[in-house]
């Protein structure tokens, strides 16, 4: 059975991403869901599980999935990233400018990482050999701006890897409710059929 790695978001847990793990399991993958604290330890946990057919994740977990594929060409067949920061320094700057106190607090936590922000930003490592990527984002996401899709699209053009972007109308940073979760599941199932 093919393996799929699925990473949860910051301060979350594997049980909070069943909307992502369920379609992977439905597609026939053996789904591994490490519990992680930050991108760095998520990357290390993922590294121990490679090779994998799919690396998937939500928010910080999507950053982990992209980083695993970028830094280990050939070890991941495809990536599913949902609302994932592609450049963590850019994400920090965006959140620092926000009027939202929670986002500013998160930005300060990111700032404390210093140079680790660059070392854990997929945009710094994506190059030749990057596998196909499905990037899903909500049109109402106030945590990760669309700029990250644009960065990924530019890298896709430069390094010639397939990128499919699905924007879900009315979805915020994560899919809330059956309808939005169903749309995400449908996009994931359709994409991973090609990842075996």
């Amino acid at each position: 059975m093919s393996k799929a790695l699925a990473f949860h978001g910051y301060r979350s847990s594997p049980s909070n991403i069943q909307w992502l793990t369920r379609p992977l399991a439905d597609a026939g993958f053996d789904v591994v869901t490490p519990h992680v604290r930050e991108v760095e330890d998520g990357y290390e946990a993922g590294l121990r599980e490679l090779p994998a057919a799919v690396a998937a994740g939500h928010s910080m977990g999507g950053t982990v999935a992209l980083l695993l594929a970028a830094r280990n060409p050939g070890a991941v067949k495809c990536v599913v990233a949902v609302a994932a920061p592609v450049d963590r320094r850019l994400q920090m700057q965006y959140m620092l400018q926000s009027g939202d106190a929670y986002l500013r607090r998160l930005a300060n936590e990111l700032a404390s990482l210093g140079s680790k922000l660059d070392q854990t930003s997929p945009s710094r490592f994506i190059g030749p050999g990057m596998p196909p990527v499905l990037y899903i984002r909500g049109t109402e996401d106030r945590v990760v701006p669309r700029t990250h899709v644009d960065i990924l699209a530019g890298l896709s053009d430069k390094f010639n890897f397939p990128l499919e972007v699905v924007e879900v109308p009315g979805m915020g940073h994560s899919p809330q409710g059956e309808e939005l979760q169903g749309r995400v599941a449908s996009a994931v199932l359709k994409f991973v059929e090609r990842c075996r």
Side-chain angles (χ1 to χ4, degrees):
M1 182 180 282
S2 296
K3 184 191 298 182
L5 306 177
F7 300 93
H8 60 81
Y10 187 60
R11 292 185 177 166
S12 187
S13 70
S15 63
N16 288 336
I17 57 165
Q18 289 182 5
W19 50 266
L20 179 58
T21 57
R22 194 173 299 118
L24 293 170
D26 289 348
F29 293 100
D30 178 20
V31 184
V32 177
T33 55
H35 191 283
V36 299
R37 292 179 315 281
E38 232 294 320
V39 172
E40 194 172 36
D41 74 298
Y43 176 80
E44 293 300 323
L47 207 51
R48 291 190 289 272
E49 296 291 342
L50 293 181
V54 181
H58 170 244
S59 195
M60 176 195 78
T63 302
V64 173
L66 287 163
L67 192 64
L68 271 174
R71 292 184 66 179
N72 302 280
V76 175
K77 287 189 181 173
C78 66
V79 177
V80 176
V82 182
V86 177
D87 182 316
R88 299 187 80 206
R89 189 166 297 282
L90 187 69
Q91 180 65 17
M92 178 193 69
Q93 291 164 353
Y94 168 79
M95 291 192 297
L96 276 174
Q97 295 167 1
S98 169
D100 184 294
Y102 173 71
L103 291 184
R104 284 203 307 272
R105 192 164 65 248
L106 285 180
N108 288 327
E109 290 175 21
L110 282 178
S112 72
L113 295 174
S115 64
K116 284 185 182 178
L117 277 183
D118 296 324
Q119 295 163 15
T120 55
S121 284
S123 61
R124 312 261 190 239
F125 297 97
I126 289 173
M130 187 69 179
V133 176
L134 168 64
Y135 192 103
I136 301 172
R137 75 175 299 273
T139 58
E140 306 306 313
D141 191 343
R142 300 291 175 250
V143 178
V144 179
R146 197 179 192 290
T147 315
H148 292 268
V149 174
D150 299 335
I151 293 168
L152 203 50
L155 291 166
S156 169
D157 288 344
K158 181 176 181 180
F159 295 112
N160 199 31
F161 64 90
L163 171 65
E164 183 179 332
V165 178
V166 173
E167 295 204 68
V168 181
M171 184 176 112
H173 189 56
S174 63
Q176 302 296 321
E178 282 185 33
E179 183 190 346
L180 294 178
Q181 290 179 3
R183 287 188 188 190
V184 169
S186 176
V188 171
L189 274 167
K190 185 177 167 190
F191 179 77
V192 298
E193 282 304 315
R194 301 172 291 203
C195 300
R196 300 191 178 280

